[in-house]
C-alpha cells in the first residue's frame, strides 16, 4: 500500500517536469494572430466579431483546452473546413511547426484577454469593496491611501493590480487596523474599477490589456521566488497550492484577482520563510500571469498502449501499415516525434491526401478526442525512431 503511494508520488513529482520540456511556450501569444489572418482562418472565423461568419466566432467559447485538445477540435472539423475552402476557392494553407504552435497558442490565449468592463459596475464596486474608506476619487472618499487620480492614468487593469500587489503588505496592515474585511476581487471587478477610474483622466478609455510573455513569466516565477512555495519538485517547500491543478483558465485579471485574494495568507507564509514581498515593475505581472495561464497548455502524458489500439480502431493502421505495405507511409520509420506540435503539423498538412483516400474508400473521417490524440501521440512518440 505504502509502496504504491510512494510510486504515485514520485510520478507526480517527475512527470510535470518531463513534460514541461515538450511544448515550447510561445513568447508572444499574439504572434498567432498573424498566422490566423495570413492563413485565412479569419475569412470564416471572427474573433470578437471581426472576421467571417461561416464558422463560429472563436472568442465566444469559454476555453478550448490544452494544445492537443484544441488540435483535436480542429482535426475533427477538417472535412467541413476543407469543403468550405473548396467552395469559396480559398487556398488550403500548410503550416510550419512554429506557425502551428503560434496559431494554436493564439486560440488558447483568447480567453486570457477577457472582456470589456462596465463604468457603473466599477463605481458601485469602489463603494461596496470599501476602497473609498481609504482612497479618494473626485473629492469622494477618505485620505488614508493615495488618491486614485494617479493610478487612473494607467491604461491597463493589469497595472492596477500590479500596483495593488506592490502596496499589498501596507494595505493589508491598514485594513486590519481599521477592522475592515479584506476586499476580495473576482471576475471582472478590476476591469470594471479601472474603466470607471479612467473616466476621470480624460484619456483614452479603450482597454489595452498587456499581452504578457509566458517565457519571461517562467523566468520571473523563479526570480520572484514563487517557485519556493509553488513547485511540484520539492516536497519540503511545497506549501503553496499546486498551480497546475487549479482552474487558471481565466482571464488575466481574474488570475490577478486570485493572487490578490490569497495574498494575506501568502504574506504570512512569506514572513515565516523569510521571503520578502516580491514587487513587480513594467510588464512583469502580466508576464507571470501569462505563464500561469499557459500551465494548462501542455497536455497530460498519454498512454502508448492505449494509443496503439486507438491507432488500430480508428483505421490509421489500415493505410499506415508497418513495412510500408499500406497506401500511406509507415509512420514508425519517421524521425522521432519530439513534440506534439510536429505530429499535428504533419497531420494537418497531409490531411487532404488522407481525405481523398478516405472518400475513395467510402469511409468516415477518423474523429479523435483529446485523450485519444494524447494516446496516439504517446504511441507514435514511442515507435518513431531516433534519427
Ligand atoms: C472556409 C471556411 C473556414 C476556414 C478558412 C477555417 N474554418 Fe474553422 N471552421 C469552419 C466551420 C464551418 C466550422 C464549424 C464546423 C462544424 O461545426 O462542424 C469550423 C470550426 C472550427 C473550430 C471549432 C470551433 C468550435 O467552437 O467548435 C475551430 C477551433 C476552427 N474551426 C479553427 C480554424 C482555424 C485555426 C482555421 C485556420 C487554419 C480555420 N478554422 C479555418 C470553417 C472554416
Ligand atoms: C484600509 C485602507 C485601504 C483600503 C480599504 C484599500 N486601500 Fe488601497 N492603499 C491603501 C494604502 C495605505 C496604500 C498605500 C500603500 C503604500 O504606501 O505602500 C494603498 C495603495 C493602493 C494602490 C497603489 C496606488 C499607487 O498610487 O500606486 C492601489 C492601486 C490601491 N491601493 C487600490 C485599492 C483598491 C482597488 C481598493 C479596494 C478594493 C483598496 N485599494 C482598498 C489603503 C487601502
Ligand atoms: C511563501 C510561500 C508562497 C510564495 C513565495 C508564493 N505563494 Fe502563492 N500561495 C501560497 C499559499 C499558501 C497559497 C494559498 C493561500 C490561500 O489559500 O489563501 C497561495 C495561493 C496562490 C494563488 C491562488 C491559487 C488558488 O487556489 O486560487 C496564486 C495564483 C498564487 N499563489 C501565485 C503566486 C505567485 C505568482 C507567486 C510569486 C510572485 C507566489 N504565489 C508566491 C504560498 C506562496
Ligand atoms: C485512408 C488512409 C489513411 C488513414 C485512415 C489515415 N491516414 Fe495518415 N496519411 C495517409 C496518407 C496518404 C498520408 C501521406 C499524405 C501525403 O503524403 O501528403 C498520411 C500521412 C500521415 C502523417 C504524416 C506522415 C509523414 O510522413 O509526414 C501522419 C502523422 C498521419 N498520416 C497520421 C495518421 C493518423 C494518426 C491516422 C489515424 C487517426 C491516420 N493518419 C489515418 C492516409 C491515411
Amino acid at each position: 500500500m505504502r509502496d504504491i503511494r510512494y510510486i504515485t508520488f514520485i510520478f507526480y513529482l517527475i512527470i510535470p517536469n518531463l513534460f514541461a520540456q515538450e511544448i515550447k511556450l510561445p513568447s508572444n501569444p499574439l504572434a498567432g494572430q498573424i498566422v490566423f489572418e495570413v492563413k485565412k482562418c479569419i475569412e470564416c472565423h471572427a474573433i470578437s466579431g471581426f472576421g467571417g461568419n461561416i464558422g463560429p466566432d472563436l472568442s465566444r467559447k469559454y476555453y478550448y483546452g490544452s494544445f492537443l485538445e484544441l488540435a483535436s477540435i480542429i482535426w475533427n472539423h477538417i472535412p467541413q473546413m476543407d469543403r468550405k475552402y473548396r467552395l469559396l476557392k480559398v487556398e488550403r494553407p500548410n503550416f510550419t511547426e512554429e506557425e502551428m504552435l503560434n496559431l494554436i497558442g493564439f486560440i488558447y490565449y483568447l480567453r486570457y484577454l477577457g472582456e470589456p468592463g462596465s463604468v457603473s459596475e466599477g463605481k458601485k464596486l469602489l463603494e461596496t469593496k470599501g476602497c473609498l474608506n481609504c482612497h479618494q476619487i473626485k473629492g469622494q472618499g477618505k485620505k488614508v491611501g493615495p488618491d486614485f487620480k494617479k493610478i487612473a492614468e494607467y491604461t491597463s487593469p493589469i497595472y492596477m493590480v500590479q500596483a495593488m500587489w506592490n502596496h499589498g503588505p501596507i494595505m493589508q496592515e491598514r485594513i486590519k487596523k481599521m477592522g475592515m474585511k479584506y476586499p476580495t476581487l473576482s471576475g471582472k471587478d478590476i476591469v470594471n474599477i479601472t474603466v470607471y477610474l479612467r473616466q476621470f483622466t480624460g484619456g483614452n478609455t479603450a482597454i489595452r490589456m498587456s499581452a504578457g510573455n509566458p517565457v519571461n513569466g517562467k523566468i520571473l516565477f523563479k526570480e520572484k521566488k514563487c517557485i519556493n512555495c509553488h513547485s511540484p519538485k520539492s516536497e519540503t517547500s511545497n506549501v503553496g497550492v499546486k498551480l497546475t491543478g487549479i482552474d487558471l483558465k481565466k482571464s488575466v485579471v481574474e488570475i490577478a484577482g486570485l493572487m490578490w485574494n490569497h495574498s494575506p495568507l501568502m504574506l504570512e507564509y512569506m514572513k515565516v520563510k523569510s521571503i520578502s514581498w516580491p514587487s513587480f515593475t513594467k510588464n512583469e505581472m502580466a508576464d507571470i500571469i501569462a505563464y500561469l495561464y499557459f500551465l494548462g497548455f501542455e497536455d497530460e502524458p498519454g498512454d502508448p498502449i492505449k494509443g496503439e489500439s486507438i491507432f488500430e480502431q480508428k483505421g490509421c493502421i489500415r493505410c499506415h501499415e508497418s513495412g510500408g505495405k499500406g497506401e500511406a507511409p509507415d509512420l514508425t520509420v519517421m524521425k522521432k516525434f519530439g513534440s506534439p506540435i510536429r505530429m499535428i503539423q504533419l497531420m494537418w498538412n497531409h490531411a487532404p491526401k488522407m481525405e481523398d483516400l478516405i472518400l475513395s474508400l467510402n469511409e468516415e473521417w477518423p474523429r479523435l478526442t483529446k485523450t485519444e490524440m494524447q494516446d496516439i501521440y504517446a504511441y507514435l512518440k514511442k515507435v518513431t525512431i531516433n534519427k
Side-chain angles (χ1 to χ4, degrees):
M1 190 54 201
R2 249 214 163 137
D3 284 354
I4 291 172
R5 279 179 47 195
Y6 181 71
I7 290 167
T8 319
F9 179 62
I10 294 293
F11 252 83
Y12 158 82
L13 293 180
I14 293 169
I15 285 180
N17 300 312
L18 274 184
F19 219 68
Q21 288 155 4
E22 285 222 317
I23 281 207
K24 210 172 54 171
L25 290 170
S27 59
N28 176 11
L30 291 179
Q33 183 162 16
I34 298 165
V35 182
F36 191 81
E37 287 171 19
V38 171
K39 304 290 178 178
K40 305 225 162 49
C41 312
I42 199 157
E43 308 251 325
C44 298
H45 292 286
I47 303 285
S48 305
F50 293 101
N53 59 4
I54 293 167
D57 183 325
L58 299 185
S59 62
R60 292 251 172 82
K61 193 147 164 187
Y62 175 61
Y63 168 61
Y64 278 112
S66 65
F67 178 83
L68 284 177
E69 185 157 15
L70 251 163
S72 70
I73 292 173
I74 296 174
W75 173 259
N76 293 339
H77 286 301
I78 283 181
Q80 285 99 318
M81 282 195 230
D82 282 359
R83 212 170 303 143
K84 287 272 164 53
Y85 278 131
R86 271 175 253 132
L87 211 67
L88 298 174
K89 303 203 165 70
V90 174
E91 197 190 334
R92 186 186 193 278
N94 274 353
F95 294 99
T96 64
E97 234 177 282
E98 195 182 359
E99 285 168 342
M100 196 49 126
L101 172 67
N102 285 342
L103 176 71
I104 294 189
F106 169 65
I107 299 173
Y108 177 86
Y109 197 64
L110 291 173
R111 173 72 197 162
Y112 171 97
L113 297 170
E115 300 150 41
S118 140
V119 172
S120 59
E121 281 301 311
K123 184 172 194 293
K124 247 190 275 166
L125 282 163
L126 283 186
E127 285 161 22
T128 55
K129 296 289 176 182
C131 314
L132 293 182
N133 287 347
C134 301
H135 294 278
Q136 322 90 63
I137 185 74
K138 272 274 176 186
Q140 261 199 312
K142 305 214 175 80
K143 290 194 175 157
V144 181
D147 194 308
F148 274 144
K149 183 124 178 60
K150 201 180 91 204
I151 200 85
E153 278 153 26
Y154 292 110
T155 39
S156 151
I158 192 77
Y159 289 118
M160 170 96 180
V161 196
Q162 180 162 297
M164 287 170 72
W165 172 275
N166 289 345
H167 295 276
I170 295 182
M171 272 212 259
Q172 285 183 29
E173 204 184 287
R174 296 285 153 83
I175 289 169
K176 252 192 228 153
K177 244 190 216 154
M178 291 173 67
M180 284 176 61
K181 212 175 114 223
Y182 184 74
T184 55
L185 299 163
S186 61
K188 297 196 300 176
D189 287 356
I190 297 162
V191 184
N192 293 338
I193 290 177
T194 321
V195 176
Y196 169 67
L197 290 180
R198 227 178 292 122
Q199 299 289 301
F200 303 105
T201 63
N204 181 0
T205 53
I207 290 187
R208 264 190 281 129
M209 194 70 81
S210 159
N213 175 344
V215 177
N216 261 355
K218 190 173 180 177
I219 298 166
L220 287 166
F221 197 73
K222 225 188 226 160
E223 279 178 9
K224 303 286 179 186
K225 301 204 166 61
C226 315
I227 205 161
N228 290 28
C229 296
H230 292 289
S231 161
K233 260 199 227 153
S234 134
E235 3 167 359
T236 48
S237 65
N238 211 6
V239 301
V241 200
K242 197 175 144 236
L243 295 178
T244 42
I246 61 169
D247 179 20
L248 290 167
K249 269 43 89 185
K250 296 172 183 287
S251 69
V252 55
V253 282
E254 281 176 290
I255 298 175
L258 278 184
M259 284 175 64
W260 169 256
N261 294 345
H262 290 281
S263 54
L265 207 58
M266 282 207 251
L267 183 62
E268 297 286 306
Y269 275 105
M270 286 189 200
K271 279 183 193 152
V272 173
K273 301 190 100 202
S274 310
I275 295 174
S276 53
W277 186 251
S279 80
F280 298 103
T281 60
K282 291 184 224 148
N283 222 29
E284 286 183 345
M285 189 153 210
D287 291 350
I288 222 163
I289 290 178
Y291 168 65
L292 294 182
Y293 181 83
F294 266 91
L295 288 175
F297 192 52
E298 285 163 353
D299 282 273
E300 304 280 317
D303 177 344
I305 298 165
K306 281 196 192 135
E308 182 168 16
S309 60
I310 292 162
F311 201 72
E312 277 171 34
Q313 281 162 31
K314 296 286 172 180
C316 316
I317 191 85
R318 279 201 284 140
C319 297
H320 292 285
E321 234 180 309
S322 58
K325 285 173 282 177
E327 309 257 11
D330 178 354
L331 298 181
T332 61
V333 301
M334 290 183 71
K335 195 168 136 235
K336 190 148 210 73
F337 280 166
S339 91
I341 306 162
R342 181 152 162 266
M343 178 179 87
I344 295 305
Q345 175 226 357
L346 292 177
M347 282 171 78
W348 169 277
N349 288 349
H350 291 298
K353 275 201 191 157
M354 281 171 64
E355 210 187 343
D356 288 346
L357 259 176
I358 286 171
L359 283 177
S360 71
L361 295 169
N362 213 4
E363 284 179 10
E364 270 190 25
W365 183 252
R367 293 173 66 89
L368 298 166
T369 63
K370 171 184 80 169
T371 350
E372 287 168 343
M373 203 59 116
Q374 289 169 345
D375 292 342
I376 287 186
Y377 171 64
Y379 167 64
L380 289 178
K381 185 180 147 113
K382 200 176 131 203
V383 295
T384 47
I385 47 183
N386 258 327
K387 263 204 266 204

